[in-house]
């Protein structure tokens, strides 16, 4: 059992918290309030950033002390919203939210994952008719191994998990969010994930 703090109590955060609790972890969910986030992060071994990506950097930088030595799993995408609240552009073109979090929190081990799919797939990857991919980006191999194990708790088979390399590779997966509005306009809100055909 791992002690996990999920920052963000929307659809993504709630979905992850429910699934991780079901998998036997001790999970605390905190809303966007700074005090709630700090209390949750302080006692957790792993912190999951499921806050809206546009404000994540500001919210997490103030938790520097609470996040020291922790694994920060970043599942957010920092985007400018377009029509219907769908992502229209990247806030950090040429970089990524995950890279900026790692730069701002050098004593925290940031791992980017689960940001290339609609939220139901994060905790039920087998719902899709084809095998999806969960990508890992991060500079710390041990942190990525820990996150890999968490993903298997959520139903991800080991062959569906692809380690892309260092945190800089997160800019590739974060850019994939730009597929989302076009896929939704084409086929509706049916669950999908970006995957690599092999």
């Amino acid at each position: 059992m791992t002690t996990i703090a999920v920052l963000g109590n929307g659809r993504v955060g709630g979905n992850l918290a429910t699934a991780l609790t079901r998998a036997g972890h001790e999970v605390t969910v905190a809303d966007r309030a700074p005090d709630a986030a700090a209390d949750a992060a302080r006692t957790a071994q792993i912190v999951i950033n499921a806050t809206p990506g546009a404000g994540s950097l500001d919210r997490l930088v103030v938790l520097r002390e609470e996040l020291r030595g922790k694994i920060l799993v970043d599942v957010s995408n920092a985007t400018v919203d377009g029509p219907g609240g769908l992502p229209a552009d990247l806030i950090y073109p040429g970089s990524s939210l995950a890279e900026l979090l790692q730069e701002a929190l050098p004593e925290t081990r940031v791992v980017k994952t689960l940001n290339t799919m609609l939220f139901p797939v994060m905790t039920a990857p087998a719902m899709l008719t084809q095998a999806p991919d969960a990508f890992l980006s991060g500079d710390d191999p041990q942190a990525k191994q820990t996150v890999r194990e968490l993903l298997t708790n959520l139903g991800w088979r080991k062959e569906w998990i692809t380690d892309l390399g260092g945190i800089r590779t997160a800019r590739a997966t974060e850019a994939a969010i730009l597929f989302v509005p076009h896929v939704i306009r084409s086929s509706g809100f049916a669950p999908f994930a970006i995957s690599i055909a092999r």
Side-chain angles (χ1 to χ4, degrees), residues 40-136:
R42 188 177 296 112
T43 57
Q45 296 165 285
I46 296 173
V47 178
I48 297 175
N49 175 40
T51 65
S56 289
L57 189 59
D58 289 340
R59 286 190 191 98
L60 293 173
V61 165
V62 299
L63 302 177
R64 183 178 284 105
E65 289 305 313
E66 290 84 357
L67 293 170
R68 187 188 303 275
K70 309 284 177 72
I71 295 173
L72 176 63
V73 182
D74 179 31
V75 302
S76 294
N77 289 300
T79 58
V80 177
D81 288 344
L86 295 174
D89 209 347
L90 301 174
I91 291 178
Y92 307 117
S95 185
S96 65
L97 172 59
E99 288 176 83
L100 294 175
L101 286 170
Q102 186 62 85
E103 182 180 326
L105 303 165
E107 295 180 81
T108 301
R109 296 172 290 164
V110 179
V111 179
K112 188 84 180 190
T113 192
L114 295 180
N115 64 310
T116 55
M117 61 200 71
L118 290 190
F119 78 93
V121 181
M122 294 178 174
T123 59
M127 73 186 333
L128 300 180
T129 56
Q130 295 168 284
D133 277 292
F135 302 102
L136 296 174

